[in-house]
Amino acid sequence: MKTASFNVANKVAAVAGAPSSGPGKRIMITGVSRGIGRALAIELANRGHTIIGCSRAQDKLNSLQSELTSDNNIQHLFVNADVSSNSSVEELAKVVTEKKGVPDIIVNNAGTINANNKLWEVPVEEFDNVIDTNVKGVANVLRHFIPLMVPIKRGIIVNMSSGWGRSGAALVAPYCASKWAVEGLSRSVAKELPDGMAVIALNPGVIHTEMLESCFGSSASLYQAPDAWAVKAATMILNLTGADNGASLTV
């Protein structure tokens, strides 16, 4: 399996010379261009934290970068990256380390869902896309960022799960399977970390997003908006500590 081309010692040494990110925390959010990822980024930026975001949608990254330009002199970082690609995340880790240092918090938010369908009618490419994004994407980020955190024994990683990662639902079996995998992956990796670090599986609850609309149709509008959710989620995430390692939590 491919590993980073420069060693952990060099990465950690680079952090010492990383540009200052201001008084707040450095928070990396994957899938930052839309939905709850975007809302969370805006809420955390408004609270004075430095946002490091990635997405495959460069136009949306540009838009978010412009929106978060503020008077507090915090320089946010947005990178075009595909979490389902190990090499793309490897490069992301290099860029983040060189420009911002090791993130204090990582939110593995990037995700996708299959169109409502019985499992045997889900196209194989669609099934693979769900697994590649929701499971391999999380694993790729863990693979390249945990080695940056271990030497300093500091870092909180939040893996976005789902209520459907703790139960089953018809017509979204690939998505359910992926989120059950996130739960198991999080609990297992938590046992491998040093004291001071934490990996948490977080069920965001039911939020009105494009993904929810794909499942619920027009009734998705009955649920809370991402910006309202982000207020609660931001507070919860900012208060996570090493004592929460291995927990499965819900906003």
Side-chain angles (χ1 to χ4, degrees):
M1 187 169 290
K2 190 174 183 181
T3 58
S5 58
F6 63 119
N7 64 39
V8 171
N10 287 339
K11 291 179 182 178
V12 175
V15 173
S20 174
S21 298
K25 295 181 181 296
R26 293 172 288 198
I27 304 174
M28 189 177 96
I29 305 172
T30 68
V32 77
S33 65
R34 63 176 185 167
I36 63 174
R38 186 177 189 279
L40 186 60
I42 293 171
E43 177 64 27
L44 289 166
N46 288 341
R47 298 190 189 192
H49 302 285
T50 299
I51 304 303
I52 303 163
C54 73
S55 167
R56 294 178 298 178
Q58 186 62 54
D59 58 335
K60 293 182 179 179
L61 289 176
N62 293 342
S63 175
L64 187 56
Q65 177 80 69
S66 298
E67 183 171 348
L68 294 186
T69 299
S70 61
D71 297 328
N72 58 15
N73 295 320
I74 294 177
Q75 298 298 314
H76 305 291
L77 175 66
F78 294 98
V79 183
N80 190 306
D82 179 0
V83 297
S84 69
S85 165
N86 181 65
S87 61
S88 183
V89 177
E90 179 182 27
E91 182 61 29
L92 173 67
K94 292 179 184 179
V95 171
V96 170
T97 302
E98 290 166 2
K99 295 189 175 182
K100 292 296 180 184
V102 179
D104 299 297
I105 300 173
I106 294 176
V107 181
N108 271 314
N109 166 73
T112 189
I113 196 169
N114 60 287
N116 285 5
N117 232 332
K118 295 175 181 176
L119 175 64
W120 54 92
E121 295 175 350
V122 175
V124 64
E125 296 82 8
E126 189 174 359
F127 185 94
D128 288 350
N129 185 45
V130 171
I131 299 301
D132 288 348
T133 303
N134 297 4
V135 183
K136 293 182 181 178
V138 171
N140 287 337
V141 172
L142 298 180
R143 179 180 301 117
H144 292 290
F145 281 90
I146 286 179
L148 305 178
M149 295 174 164
V150 167
I152 56 178
K153 297 183 179 180
R154 176 175 54 79
I156 303 295
I157 301 174
V158 177
N159 296 329
M160 282 299 182
S161 180
S162 170
W164 284 342
R166 302 168 190 173
S167 64
L171 307 182
V172 285
Y175 180 79
C176 291
S178 73
K179 293 303 184 179
W180 276 79
V182 167
E183 290 279 335
L185 185 67
S186 300
R187 293 188 187 188
S188 298
V189 173
K191 297 179 182 295
E192 301 170 352
L193 299 180
D195 291 342
M197 290 181 61
V199 170
I200 295 102
L202 182 64
N203 168 21
V206 185
I207 307 106
H208 181 198
T209 62
E210 292 178 19
M211 284 177 54
L212 192 69
E213 288 177 359
S214 76
C215 303
F216 289 7
S218 60
S219 63
S221 63
L222 299 175
Y223 295 91
Q224 65 181 325
D227 55 350
W229 169 86
V231 175
K232 296 176 288 185
T235 298
M236 184 174 186
I237 290 170
L238 289 169
N239 282 286
L240 293 171
T241 70
D244 297 301
N245 188 35
S248 292
L249 306 175
T250 301
V251 176

